[in-house]
Amino acid sequence: MIIDRNLPGASSKVAAGVINPVTGKRLVKSWMINELNKSCLGFYKHFENVSNKSFFYNINVIRVFNNYQEQNDFISKSSETAYKNYLVDSSNQGALQFIKNDFGSGIIQQSAFLDTKTFLDVAKNILQEKATIVDAEFKFNDLNIKDTIEWNEVSSKRIIFCEGYRMKDNPFFGYLPLPSLKGEFLLIEAKELPRNNMIKKGVIIVPYDSDLFWVGSTYDRDELSLQNTEKGVEGLTEKLNQVLKVPYTIKETGFGIRPTVVDRRPLIGCHPHHKNLFVFNGLGSKGVSLAPYFAQHFIEYLEQDGKLMKEVDIVRYQKKFTFQ
Ligand SMILES: Cc1cc2nc3c(=O)[nH]c(=O)nc-3n(C[C@H](O)[C@H](O)[C@H](O)COP(=O)(O)OP(=O)(O)OC[C@H]3O[C@@H](n4cnc5c(N)ncnc54)[C@H](O)[C@@H]3O)c2cc1C
């Protein structure tokens, strides 16, 4: 049984869905990216085949440089053995007609994006055949923990909490460090912008539904209201103007709250006292790449060997708390 209500701030349904294997100013490969990419390809492609729908796209990121230093860093990194399958120097390509790339740009390969909305619809349809999906807000007062889990009229061997940023209000797992990180984004129409790449410069621009592009996003730890803000939308527009040469119109704005973790690793495991309560959370800003691999890992832990990677096991935080 899945209990899920589409509550404001939920993250997956609004995410850009990007898997970018090399990120940040210092161009660092994401944690476990080889294993995660392999798992994503198998997982998402399998569900594309099963559903006969497309939602996982292997397209490159064009990383547009802000100055010659960035260009140099990219070129030197692209010649390192560990990076040569990921980074391709394209700075000699000259000006591109649709973006401002005065300092050149490089290509990040083995990147992809998931159209999360379509994927979630497909997943829901498949799960509906195998499980009961209850559209309700889960209230902790309705939960009764014995040897089994009792919730309203339902009895279950165990319960797994996958609540995104709302875990902060969970009386059993709210002690785990999951600071919220709000992200605002735009959906724009830009008819002259090619749809065969993603573009990264300050913001990331992702080809989305029909004529639209997803543009985002902001990273705000303090302003966590469940709405778009003037500051967020203006900031994104400013960055967009610094990269696009072609005209565009803003069609929609949106936001979500990322469930981030202080050490940037997922939060998976069992409650220290209640052996039938579990948590699967902390996907931060990389849920699309982390979810398939770690869902599989979690299932093996639950059903087979009871072992979790120490980097993701919530035990790493339990030492800091005393439980009654
Ligand atoms: C603007 C933005 C852009 C992003 N871009 C990317 C990206 O490009 N690539 C990437 O990998 N990741 C991206 N992310 C991050 C990604 O969205 C998250 O890592 C991931 O979606 C988290 O998934 P989750 O299932 O833990 O949480 P959620 O997707 O938030 O799901 C939690 C679900 O539980 C429900 N729920 C919670 N409490 C209750 C309750 N009491 N009762 C009933 N239902 C409840 C919520 O309503 C929601 O449906 C982005 C996030 C944002 C906000």
Side-chain angles (χ1 to χ4, degrees), residues 41-320:
L41 197 66
F43 182 85
Y44 295 122
K45 284 289 171 197
H46 168 73
F47 286 105
E48 279 193 331
N49 291 337
V50 168
S51 63
N52 215 6
K53 291 211 160 115
S54 300
F55 42 78
F56 188 67
Y57 304 94
N58 282 103
I59 59 173
N60 293 335
V61 173
I62 302 180
R63 179 151 167 157
V64 184
F65 307 133
N66 288 302
N67 48 52
Y68 287 120
Q69 179 68 47
E70 284 188 11
Q71 190 197 72
N72 281 340
D73 293 347
F74 192 97
I75 293 171
S76 86
K77 201 104 192 196
S78 65
S79 62
E80 287 179 24
T81 315
Y83 284 84
K84 69 171 191 279
N85 289 333
Y86 290 99
L87 304 182
V88 178
D89 169 31
S90 62
S91 47
N92 57 1
Q93 205 174 39
L96 293 169
Q97 279 161 2
F98 46 94
I99 49 174
K100 299 172 184 167
N101 70 332
D102 301 345
F103 302 99
S105 48
I107 305 234
I108 305 179
Q109 300 185 138
Q110 300 198 45
S111 38
F113 87 93
L114 176 75
D115 169 353
T116 57
K117 239 175 154 174
T118 306
F119 169 69
L120 288 174
D121 286 345
V122 164
K124 194 170 178 183
N125 283 338
I126 293 170
L127 288 167
Q128 239 149 9
E129 288 170 18
K130 298 175 188 280
T132 308
I133 302 185
V134 181
D135 182 357
E137 181 163 354
F138 184 88
K139 304 268 193 230
F140 286 90
N141 286 342
D142 300 332
L143 182 69
N144 196 356
I145 306 169
K146 303 179 187 160
D147 286 344
T148 53
I149 300 287
E150 313 286 329
W151 177 74
N152 294 333
E153 305 292 296
V154 182
S155 168
S156 166
K157 191 162 121 191
R158 54 198 170 205
I159 184 165
I160 302 161
F161 292 102
C162 316
E163 306 155 278
Y165 85 101
R166 285 176 189 268
M167 191 196 78
K168 64 183 175 36
D169 302 322
N170 182 315
F172 302 102
F173 292 106
Y175 70 90
L176 292 166
L178 193 80
S180 298
L181 183 60
K182 181 172 166 184
E184 298 188 47
F185 63 93
L186 315 172
L187 290 181
I188 63 160
E189 188 177 64
K191 289 197 186 301
E192 293 167 42
L193 193 59
R195 303 181 63 80
N196 49 351
N197 286 298
M198 296 179 269
I199 300 163
K200 174 95 177 105
K201 186 188 179 196
V203 284
I204 189 152
I205 306 173
V206 183
Y208 196 62
D209 270 358
S210 48
D211 275 346
L212 297 182
F213 290 85
W214 190 104
V215 180
S217 60
T218 60
Y219 293 84
D220 204 324
R221 288 220 182 273
D222 304 318
E223 200 294 310
L224 295 172
S225 66
L226 296 175
Q227 59 188 14
N228 279 105
T229 62
E230 216 176 291
K231 180 178 156 219
V233 173
E234 274 174 9
L236 291 170
T237 312
E238 221 168 88
K239 287 183 177 161
L240 191 56
N241 292 339
Q242 282 166 22
V243 61
L244 278 195
K245 272 188 197 162
V246 295
Y248 69 89
T249 44
I250 299 176
K251 291 289 178 184
E252 239 179 82
T253 61
F255 69 91
I257 315 274
R258 303 172 187 88
T260 60
V261 187
V262 179
D263 66 5
R264 295 167 181 240
R265 299 291 176 260
L267 292 171
I268 303 178
C270 182
H271 189 270
H273 289 168
H274 301 290
K275 296 301 171 195
N276 41 14
L277 302 190
F278 296 85
V279 66
F280 187 94
N281 208 315
L283 301 179
S285 56
K286 299 197 174 192
V288 172
S289 57
L290 292 167
Y293 182 95
F294 283 103
Q296 179 64 33
H297 181 56
F298 182 54
I299 291 297
E300 283 162 15
Y301 153 77
L302 280 182
E303 300 288 344
Q304 292 169 21
D305 57 12
K307 286 186 197 136
L308 276 178
M309 274 171 64
K310 66 176 187 340
E311 289 91 337
V312 302
D313 193 337
I314 55 168
V315 162
R316 70 193 190 277
Y317 287 113
Q318 277 161 22
K319 291 176 199 123
K320 298 194 178 117

